[in-house]
Amino acid sequence: MLIRPKPDLTYADITPRSVYFNRREVLRAMGIAGVGLAGGKILSSLAFPGQTALATSKLSGLVKSPFSTTEKPNSIEDVTHYNNYYEFGTDKSDPAKKSQNFRTSPWSVSVEGEVAKPRKFSMDEILKLAPLEERIYRHRCVERWSIVVPWIGFSLSTLAKLVEPTSKAQYVAFQTFFDPTQMPEAKYGGIDFPYVEGLRLDEAMHPLTMLCVGMYGETLPNQDGAPVRIVVPWKYGYKSIKSIVKIRFQQKEPPTTWNRYSSEEYGFYSNVNPAVDHPRWSQATERRLGEIFRRNTLLFNGYGDQVASLYNGMDLKKYH
Ligand code: MTE
């Protein structure tokens, strides 16, 4: 079990991993390696030959989650070097290289719309809203690759309850930060920015839907959506919007980036469903990064026991 951050520690104060790493190197050179080490796991995850150290910081006080799969997580290298984050380029290797100078502090998330108590949450406030859980989730991309990630965060519903959604709130809209000067690659992305996503209210309030602030024991690397993102494990990966600055409760179904781009290919619901093909490819199988053989894709990405009842009576082909 790790230690929870002291309440007076701010998000900006948490030592960036690169600094922490350098400090360790200095200590090692002084012959006192081992002082204050958190364990070999983090150390080994740092050692990517020829790659920039991740600018992440250790999160402490993590609690295990009953929602975790027992499947083996992918390596941190897989998860941080095979990304979709179109603001930083369209190649899977682009976000790791091109997001390193992205400024994620100070940061706040505005929660607004059909709520009794709209407010802005700073990252410090978000980190203190609830115990930080490590949740090992399967994450299935519409492009037929999948990974298993030990995310860190808590149910989005914890934050939602604080703002008290009104009876008019039926959907939740999310928006990513956008700054073309920090994200010059975005102009080649082929999609509109800022990136937007949405969920029906009951989906957003489902305990599996996560407000995610970290992974592998640390804050999120920029390429994975620092400093805060949404993770919806039973839906295709594009619903899991990164680096959010706005959460809006509203009556109408919100537009979503990929649905705007091509509504035939990317529905609003986007539940993982091996029986509903993408118009250009089958969704029946997937390749887990790091494996050779393809595996069968599971309905709702294997989370059917928990979420299938949300869609009772719905035609999942029509509402894909
Ligand atoms: N969020 C933003 N802001 N921009 C993006 O391009 N890509 C989405 C989603 N969230 C994307 C985003 C897609 S297509 C996927 S598959 C997941 O992020 C990938 O998350 P990962 O890189 O952490 O695996």
Side-chain angles (χ1 to χ4, degrees):
M1 183 107 104
L2 302 167
I3 312 147
R4 214 167 145 54
K6 291 197 191 82
D8 54 341
L9 209 61
T10 69
Y11 189 74
D13 285 337
I14 306 174
T15 316
R17 183 188 230 177
S18 48
V19 175
Y20 166 78
F21 186 51
N22 287 340
R23 229 181 251 163
R24 289 182 36 73
E25 290 301 294
V26 172
L27 290 176
R28 194 201 301 272
M30 288 163 69
I32 46 176
V35 178
L37 296 193
K41 203 172 160 203
I42 290 174
L43 239 192
S44 61
S45 70
L46 288 162
F48 307 149
Q51 286 169 351
T52 326
L54 296 170
T56 57
S57 318
K58 191 163 146 28
L59 286 168
S60 41
L62 307 183
V63 296
K64 299 273 172 225
S65 168
F67 297 124
S68 286
T69 169
T70 52
E71 286 177 54
K72 188 171 168 276
N74 277 84
S75 71
I76 189 172
E77 180 159 11
D78 281 347
V79 175
T80 55
H81 291 85
Y82 196 83
N83 298 100
N84 278 331
Y85 198 165
Y86 275 44
E87 288 86 334
F88 295 107
T90 54
D91 194 89
K92 297 285 178 283
S93 62
D94 283 339
K97 289 182 275 195
K98 297 181 178 166
S99 69
Q100 291 313 319
N101 296 324
F102 178 38
R103 288 187 300 276
T104 58
S105 176
W107 193 275
S108 63
V109 179
S110 171
V111 188
E112 51 192 68
E114 293 295 349
V115 293
K117 296 182 172 164
R119 64 178 269 201
K120 272 192 175 178
F121 292 87
S122 68
M123 274 315 290
D124 298 328
E125 288 169 327
I126 289 174
L127 286 170
K128 289 176 200 152
L129 285 183
L132 295 180
E133 288 174 36
E134 180 179 77
R135 293 193 188 176
I136 306 171
Y137 279 170
R138 289 181 289 277
H139 182 57
R140 164 63 155 86
C141 182
V142 73
E143 298 161 305
R144 305 196 303 170
W145 49 270
S146 65
I147 44 180
V148 175
V149 187
W151 303 111
I152 296 165
F154 46 83
S155 298
L156 174 65
S157 62
T158 304
L159 175 142
K161 284 174 191 156
L162 292 174
V163 297
E164 299 177 13
T166 70
S167 57
K168 285 192 184 149
Q170 286 171 32
Y171 292 90
V172 188
F174 304 95
Q175 189 175 310
T176 294
F177 175 85
F178 183 55
D179 173 6
T181 59
Q182 289 196 70
M183 298 161 159
E185 292 295 313
K187 57 179 172 294
Y188 310 113
I191 53 176
D192 288 341
F193 296 103
Y195 194 99
V196 288
E197 255 307 332
L199 295 171
R200 215 170 55 190
L201 184 69
D202 58 348
E203 298 178 317
M205 299 302 278
H206 193 283
L208 282 177
T209 301
M210 245 183 130
L211 191 67
C212 171
V213 297
M215 55 191 224
Y216 297 91
E218 308 226 340
T219 55
L220 282 168
N222 288 350
Q223 61 265 42
D224 287 275
V228 56
R229 71 180 292 175
I230 299 296
V231 176
V232 196
W234 71 96
K235 292 177 180 281
Y236 292 118
Y238 56 88
K239 299 295 285 184
S240 293
I241 179 172
K242 297 180 170 181
S243 308
I244 54 167
V245 286
K246 198 189 285 187
I247 301 178
R248 190 178 174 81
F249 289 78
Q250 57 189 59
Q251 205 161 10
K252 273 180 38 191
E253 184 182 290
T256 66
T257 291
W258 286 100
N259 183 261
R260 265 183 186 156
Y261 173 82
S262 173
S263 59
E264 284 301 296
E265 294 175 273
Y266 310 102
F268 175 80
Y269 285 92
S270 297
N271 292 319
V272 173
N273 191 338
V276 177
D277 290 345
H278 182 280
R280 288 183 282 137
W281 57 78
S282 157
Q283 290 291 19
T285 63
E286 67 200 55
R287 190 175 72 83
R288 177 73 45 88
L289 295 193
E291 291 181 358
I292 296 167
F293 299 107
R294 302 186 70 80
R295 48 169 78 208
N296 290 333
T297 285
L298 303 172
L299 179 61
F300 298 117
N301 204 20
Y303 295 95
D305 287 352
Q306 290 109 301
V307 301
S309 63
L310 297 176
Y311 309 101
N312 278 345
M314 277 176 73
D315 176 349
L316 296 179
K317 202 168 164 63
K318 183 170 173 208
Y319 297 101
H320 63 91

